[in-house]
Amino acid sequence: MLRSYDCKIVLSDGSEYPGCRFGARTDRVCEIVFNTSMVGYQEIVSDPSYTGQLVVMTYPIIGNYGVTDEDFETKIPTIGGLVVREYNDIPSNFRYTKTLSEILEDYGIPAIEGVDTRKLTRSIRDHGSRKALLTDIGVPTAQAVERLNAEELRRDQVAQVSCKKRWYARTSNHRFSVVAVDCGIKLNIVRSLNARGCNVTVVPYDTPWEVISDMEPDGVFLSNGPGDPEDVKPVIELVRALRGTVPIFGICLGHQMIALAYGGRTYKLKFGHRGGNHPVKDLSTGRLEITSQNHSYAVDGDSLAGTGLEVTHVNLLDNTVEGLACPEDRIFSVQYHPESAPGPQDSGYLFDRFIAMMEEGKRHA
């Protein structure tokens, strides 16, 4: 049974969505988005790509299996906040170590339950992602809207979440050495590379190309991350410097930055793609993949003519570009997250493709 409403979400048009607090008791101005996943709320809360975003979960019951130490995607969650219909604070799961509310409170992340998430999701779908304020129920609407209009959203999210110094994830009997450029990397990406025999060196997003080249990696990985890809100029320049010299694989933000490095363009989607149910077609095989996605921006397919990049995958819901490749430069990317196991194994071949490119590079070295 819900408690009395003690907080609310206010949108820039003055519309309000009341509810009850859990997690940290703090106000927050964020970009509001929605996620259609039925499971995986811990991975969503700990995914750096949600930095500064207030995430509305369309699945109605959240928290019922708690939070498990082994399932985090980053060590320090940076999500802006969480919005749910019904929060369950009594988990039923032999693996759980804390409740979701305890984790949110630990990291200063506010959350609200009891919200009409169907109505709120339709508003985001119809009018697009935009600024929202999570605040106390007694704050006057005019005051809340004034704060929304006055407070700007951050644009340095990658700098905020990227590691400050390199770190290592090694595996026994490794066959390859991979440098992963951290724009907000998910830990399961590192695990996926380790499982395929890769020692991974994770470096800050602004690491100069000369430093990476001196490390003599067998391959370079460009990670996912938050925000506008055009703001991450160091990685765009890095791709321009390294392309053709070493196999490169990009996921999500990495995919977008590869397009920009080759002269393509990106644009912001109305409400983004977030969830584990997006059908994507591999144009080379005709095969359909059920994918997990989390992004606000997409690559403009019309801008790719003459860049040397070919479109390899498309989203069957809206025909957005989901994959790119330049075989000559040994570079490829996808917009979705193969490490999230949405299919559950539909997209694992992409990591195997990266391995095959590094094997070929070793043979011709």
Side-chain angles (χ1 to χ4, degrees), residues 330-346:
R330 297 181 295 166
I331 190 167
F332 74 105
S333 63
V334 289
Q335 180 64 77
Y336 52 96
H337 284 263
E339 84 290 344
S340 290
Q345 304 299 330
D346 290 20

Side-chain angles (χ1 to χ4, degrees), residues 48 51 73-76 78 156-169 179-187 190 200-208 212 215 221 223-226 232 235:
T51 298
E73 291 291 358
T74 188
K75 296 178 181 178
I76 302 177
T78 52
D156 62 344
Q157 296 101 320
V158 168
Q160 180 184 350
V161 300
S162 179
C163 60
K164 301 303 183 277
K165 62 178 182 179
R166 71 179 68 171
W167 58 275
Y168 305 91
V179 170
V181 181
D182 180 12
C183 298
I185 194 167
K186 294 173 65 178
L187 293 180
V190 178
V200 181
T201 302
V202 183
V203 300
Y205 81 102
D206 55 355
T207 302
I212 293 177
M215 296 168 68
F221 176 81
S223 85
N224 61 291
V232 198
V235 180

Side-chain angles (χ1 to χ4, degrees), residues 276-293 312-316 322 334 336-338 342-343 345-350 353:
N277 47 13
H278 284 256
V280 167
K281 184 176 182 179
D282 183 336
L283 297 180
S284 64
T285 64
R287 186 169 176 261
L288 178 67
E289 302 170 43
I290 300 302
T291 69
S292 176
Q293 308 212 3
T312 59
H313 298 71
V314 294
N315 190 307
L316 296 184
E322 293 283 351
V334 289
Y336 52 96
H337 284 263
Q345 304 299 330
D346 290 20
S347 307
Y349 72 93
L350 292 162
R353 179 179 297 175

Side-chain angles (χ1 to χ4, degrees), residues 31-38 44 47 49-58 79 121 124 128-130 225-227 252 256 268-278 291-297 315 317-318 322 337:
E31 179 187 31
I32 192 165
V33 300
F34 66 83
N35 185 294
T36 59
S37 298
M38 295 180 68
I44 291 165
D47 183 348
S49 294
Y50 286 108
T51 298
Q53 291 181 328
L54 184 61
V55 181
V56 181
M57 299 298 297
T58 61
I79 188 174
T121 299
I124 299 169
S129 303
R130 53 207 189 276
C252 199
Q256 297 159 14
K268 189 168 186 178
L269 296 164
K270 184 176 181 180
F271 49 80
H273 295 163
R274 294 174 183 86
N277 47 13
H278 284 256
T291 69
S292 176
Q293 308 212 3
N294 171 21
H295 58 103
S296 294
Y297 292 81
N315 190 307
L317 297 180
D318 59 8
E322 293 283 351
H337 284 263

Side-chain angles (χ1 to χ4, degrees), residues 30-253:
C30 302
E31 179 187 31
I32 192 165
V33 300
F34 66 83
N35 185 294
T36 59
S37 298
M38 295 180 68
V39 295
Y41 58 77
Q42 179 179 350
E43 289 81 355
I44 291 165
V45 165
S46 60
D47 183 348
S49 294
Y50 286 108
T51 298
Q53 291 181 328
L54 184 61
V55 181
V56 181
M57 299 298 297
T58 61
Y59 189 73
I61 303 176
I62 301 297
N64 50 307
Y65 55 85
V67 171
T68 306
D69 291 342
E70 294 86 358
D71 293 343
F72 282 98
E73 291 291 358
T74 188
K75 296 178 181 178
I76 302 177
T78 52
I79 188 174
L82 193 66
V83 183
V84 306
R85 176 59 186 168
E86 180 182 342
Y87 170 63
N88 185 329
D89 202 44
I90 308 176
S92 177
N93 177 6
F94 74 96
R95 294 179 66 234
Y96 100 93
T97 51
K98 285 189 175 182
T99 68
L100 176 59
S101 184
E102 288 169 343
I103 288 295
L104 295 176
E105 188 172 0
D106 286 346
Y107 293 103
I109 300 167
I112 177 174
E113 66 161 326
V115 174
D116 186 343
T117 51
R118 291 179 298 177
K119 181 179 178 181
L120 181 53
T121 299
R122 286 196 297 268
S123 175
I124 299 169
R125 181 197 64 192
D126 295 342
H127 303 289
S129 303
R130 53 207 189 276
K131 284 193 291 185
L133 170 65
L134 175 54
T135 189
D136 289 336
I137 193 72
V139 174
T141 303
Q143 181 180 328
V145 172
E146 183 179 355
R147 179 177 174 185
L148 276 173
N149 292 334
E151 192 164 333
E152 293 296 326
L153 299 176
R154 295 183 63 162
R155 296 188 65 89
D156 62 344
Q157 296 101 320
V158 168
Q160 180 184 350
V161 300
S162 179
C163 60
K164 301 303 183 277
K165 62 178 182 179
R166 71 179 68 171
W167 58 275
Y168 305 91
R170 300 184 176 96
T171 187
S172 59
N173 301 315
H174 81 281
R175 296 186 296 150
F176 307 101
S177 296
V178 173
V179 170
V181 181
D182 180 12
C183 298
I185 194 167
K186 294 173 65 178
L187 293 180
N188 205 38
I189 291 174
V190 178
R191 298 183 196 110
S192 297
L193 291 169
N194 284 159
R196 289 167 171 82
C198 299
N199 275 353
V200 181
T201 302
V202 183
V203 300
Y205 81 102
D206 55 355
T207 302
W209 72 268
E210 298 94 338
V211 173
I212 293 177
S213 183
D214 288 345
M215 296 168 68
E216 299 183 348
D218 298 309
V220 172
F221 176 81
L222 307 177
S223 85
N224 61 291
D228 187 339
E230 293 187 6
D231 292 338
V232 198
K233 291 180 172 52
V235 180
I236 297 171
E237 293 302 323
L238 176 69
V239 175
R240 289 173 179 157
L242 290 179
R243 62 186 181 185
T245 67
V246 63
I248 298 176
F249 177 26
I251 286 177
C252 199
L253 185 66

